[in-house]
Amino acid sequence: MTYVFTPAPVASVPVAGSDAQFPVRRIYCVGRNYEAHAREMGHDPNREPPFFFAKPADAVVVVPEDTTGEFRYPSQTDDVHHEIELVVALKSGGTDIDEAHALEHVFGYAVGLDMTRRDLQAEAKKAGRPWDTAKGFDGSAPIGPLHRVEDIGQPVQGAIWLDVDGKQAQRGDLRELIWSVAETIAYLSRFFELKAGDLIFSGTPSGVGPVKRGQLLEGGVEGVGQLRLQVV
Ligand code: MN
């Protein structure tokens, strides 16, 4: 079998403490998964079922933990927002996964940013259109290295934060997740067959806001890792 042209390289994320790369299959994202963020976006934080959207696998931009990465300000927007998130990486999957066994499918965790063209998202919401141009643009998923569960355990509490130019922007705690990682995996697996290589961006705490060229974004999740990048 031959391809008519060379296939694009597999998107991947480095695994901390190893030379290996985690190959990315799909990127799923959870919307409004922290109460205070649901409220700041004008929604009732009561426990409505989780909802999901996706980004293309090659939207990941790897930011090594010891360097300052770059986020390229995208086209067709004047209002790009940061959303700091705990990212879950799966080593296996399935359908209708039991919540009690969901965490057995987790390879590890990373710190990521669900960068969002908020102006296009607002237009899409108003018109009842899909969010792809708001959420799935090239470079919309900056991510740090993956930390294996055997190295860091299963993070269920701890600070999640983002500072912009040294000033606090987002601050929350993993305990505030409306839908836990296990619940999210179980719920998502009713809609999609999850597989090894899938990433799940688990939602962002409150304090989202616009970024400008030249700004430094520094964020992290306690017990997982950190991310530093400049908007260019
Ligand atoms: Mn998000």
Side-chain angles (χ1 to χ4, degrees), residues 71-87:
F71 171 73
R72 287 169 184 275
Y73 202 95
S75 62
Q76 300 294 322
T77 180
D78 297 308
D79 194 26
V80 176
H81 279 207
H82 53 73
E83 294 191 0
I84 189 80
E85 309 206 357
L86 172 70
V87 182

Side-chain angles (χ1 to χ4, degrees), residues 117-191:
R117 286 167 166 146
R118 194 71 76 201
D119 43 2
L120 298 196
Q121 187 192 30
E123 283 171 26
K125 283 180 179 176
K126 205 185 285 176
R129 289 179 182 155
W131 288 7
D132 299 55
T133 59
K135 289 289 197 178
F137 58 89
D138 296 336
S140 60
I143 188 170
L146 275 167
H147 294 269
R148 294 171 292 207
V149 167
E150 54 257 51
D151 295 331
I152 64 161
Q154 300 280 357
V156 290
Q157 58 172 43
I160 174 168
W161 78 92
L162 183 82
D163 294 345
V164 179
D165 283 342
K167 275 204 205 144
Q168 179 179 316
Q170 295 190 255
R171 186 112 355 196
D173 193 288
L174 297 180
R175 279 173 299 197
E176 297 157 10
L177 278 169
I178 297 173
W179 297 92
S180 70
V181 170
E183 288 171 326
T184 298
I185 291 169
Y187 209 94
L188 185 59
S189 74
R190 298 191 211 163
F191 295 90

